[in-house]
Amino acid sequence: MTSHLTRRSLLGLAGAGAGALLLGACGDGDSGASASPQKIRWWHVQDAEPMLSVWADLARQYEGAHTHVTIDVQPLEVEAFKTKLNGAVEAALPPDLFQSWGGGALQQQVEAGLVKDITSEVQGWIGQLLPASLQPYTVNDKIYGIPFDIGMVGFWYNRDHFAKAGIETPPKTWSELLQVVNKLKAVNIAPIALGGKDKWPGHYYWAYLAMRIGGLEALRQAAEDRNFDTPVFVAAGERLRELVDMQPFQQGYLRAEYGSETGQAATMGNEEAAMELMGQWAPSVQASSSTSKRGLGDRLAFFPFPAVEDGKGSATDAFGGGNGFVVGRDAPPATVDFLRTLLQARNQRRAAQTGAVLPTNQAAAGGIKDLNNQVVAANLGIATGFQLYLDQAYPPAVGAQVNESVAQLIAGTKRPDQIVKDITRVAKKQ
């Protein structure tokens, strides 16, 4: 695990390990695709084994079942992918099928007319998918991409540390979470691990608090109005400062990265903190970053972000993201059929059985064997709403400012009422 690990690279590699994934051939029924020669340019970010060869196999198998289709697979490292895609977007020559995390970047591509509205083509099968998973790929009620995995952020905690502090059940409210922090500090256990240097882990707290206080509508309205200088977002900052003032994080957290050997994940994996607020990839990164390379095993458990007393948001609203593919505007007809085949239940079930993928096809949920993944999937299954990470949901410049501003709030260099003005200033320029 390098010190340069980012959440986006984690999302891009969330499918790593899905070596058992096989493509179920669906004959030549291309859902209306022409029998004339077609070439699909497919860009993805799984540039390492085992997914590098798995994706290649999927393409070859599809070509074998559809002899008039050729798939040009181009695996790219995440940052290289973003650079190349930006160049293709500027030249108005997007690939036919390409990696996407949805949200603000996708909306900009839609507004530029670079991606294809596939709503009518997918109506026959998107009902199999988790409704929440489609939200990041839906713009103005039209679908432009399909997610192949989905996850959510929540608190991962050490059962043994909780037991030592006399904590019998995970907190369900913000007040109870603060009580848990006090109990852990009382027995000299660092309550929470945080990679403050990387900034994006901190924005999870502010975003979730805004969701719980104002509901998903508050975040939607902020995006529409380009205004975060509202009581909801100020209150979210005040609640976060309430937590920070309790000094809940490990020593040196402001200098800590997420995935380095002394970072947030390693702090959890080495049992040096009791909790971390992180996405579905947390157990595997904790393990790989830990000294033992095993992590916490069955001592690790999960609970969703608590409700905020008197808040308008539902405690079952989820915050997270995943991986998907978007269809370019000039993609050949077979592209959507190829995408449909990737999402077939039997293929998603095999991916889920590896423990590396949380499938979006609900019929594949039975393939999830890892107990922690089952808990995450269960929470997603009952989600009443879904919010994409703010640094992806909003335009890139706004997302970057959210991360920067929340980092300043946590560090104590800016107040809650100041950061909302800074974010709004950037949003108004978009």
Side-chain angles (χ1 to χ4, degrees), residues 289-300:
S289 301
S290 67
T291 302
S292 68
K293 303 302 178 185
R294 293 190 297 271
L296 299 179
D298 60 7
R299 288 172 292 160
L300 184 68

Side-chain angles (χ1 to χ4, degrees), residues 266-323:
T267 299
M268 276 295 295
N270 291 327
E271 302 191 64
E272 296 169 357
M275 295 180 284
E276 70 165 331
L277 183 63
M278 191 47 59
Q280 67 276 11
W281 58 82
S284 62
V285 185
Q286 288 174 14
S288 63
S289 301
S290 67
T291 302
S292 68
K293 303 302 178 185
R294 293 190 297 271
L296 299 179
D298 60 7
R299 288 172 292 160
L300 184 68
F302 177 92
F303 65 90
F305 196 92
V308 174
E309 293 84 351
D310 299 323
K312 296 180 180 178
S314 170
T316 53
D317 286 342
F319 174 77
N323 292 278

Side-chain angles (χ1 to χ4, degrees), residues 6 52 57 120 140 154 169 174 233 277 304 317 326 330 397:
T6 65
L52 178 63
D57 286 343
S120 61
N140 298 326
T169 58
W174 183 251
F233 290 98
L277 183 63
D317 286 342
V326 166
D330 298 320

Side-chain angles (χ1 to χ4, degrees), residues 136-389:
Y137 302 89
T138 304
V139 179
N140 298 326
D141 297 323
K142 295 179 180 179
I143 300 170
Y144 293 88
I146 297 294
F148 62 85
D149 81 332
I150 186 68
M152 65 178 285
V153 171
F155 277 103
W156 298 91
Y157 71 100
N158 185 316
R159 297 178 190 269
D160 287 354
H161 285 346
F162 268 43
K164 183 178 179 180
I167 303 165
E168 297 181 355
T169 58
K172 294 183 178 180
T173 67
W174 183 251
S175 294
E176 289 177 2
L177 177 66
L178 300 185
Q179 293 171 14
V180 164
V181 168
N182 279 328
K183 289 181 179 179
L184 289 163
K185 287 174 67 71
V187 293
N188 297 315
I189 295 173
I192 304 173
L194 179 66
K197 183 178 179 181
D198 280 342
K199 300 180 181 178
W200 55 264
H203 109 274
Y204 292 167
Y205 291 86
W206 187 72
Y208 247 134
L209 283 165
M211 285 173 57
R212 295 295 189 252
I213 294 169
L216 292 174
E217 176 61 22
L219 280 78
R220 187 201 64 77
Q221 195 66 47
E224 183 176 321
D225 298 342
R226 300 181 184 182
N227 179 30
F228 294 80
D229 192 359
T230 66
V232 166
F233 290 98
V234 173
E238 291 171 347
R239 290 298 180 100
L240 178 51
R241 277 305 313 180
E242 179 182 25
L243 173 65
V244 173
D245 288 344
M246 296 176 69
Q247 300 182 346
F249 307 121
Q250 83 277 18
Q251 288 188 356
Y253 71 91
L254 289 176
R255 301 184 304 275
E257 296 166 315
Y258 171 64
S260 68
E261 61 182 12
T262 58
Q264 175 176 331
T267 299
M268 276 295 295
N270 291 327
E271 302 191 64
E272 296 169 357
M275 295 180 284
E276 70 165 331
L277 183 63
M278 191 47 59
Q280 67 276 11
W281 58 82
S284 62
V285 185
Q286 288 174 14
S288 63
S289 301
S290 67
T291 302
S292 68
K293 303 302 178 185
R294 293 190 297 271
L296 299 179
D298 60 7
R299 288 172 292 160
L300 184 68
F302 177 92
F303 65 90
F305 196 92
V308 174
E309 293 84 351
D310 299 323
K312 296 180 180 178
S314 170
T316 53
D317 286 342
F319 174 77
N323 292 278
F325 292 117
V326 166
V327 179
R329 67 177 181 189
D330 298 320
T335 306
V336 177
D337 184 66
F338 175 53
L339 185 55
R340 178 186 70 85
T341 308
L342 296 179
L343 270 292
Q344 286 181 334
R346 57 180 174 179
N347 297 323
Q348 285 247 291
R349 192 175 299 113
R350 292 192 179 101
Q353 288 171 348
T354 69
V357 171
L358 284 178
T360 56
N361 191 319
Q362 297 178 85
I368 302 173
K369 302 302 181 185
D370 181 82
L371 294 179
N372 285 320
N373 281 346
Q374 288 178 7
V375 174
V376 174
N379 278 277
L380 281 169
I382 62 171
T384 49
F386 188 84
Q387 172 62 49
L388 184 64
Y389 309 110

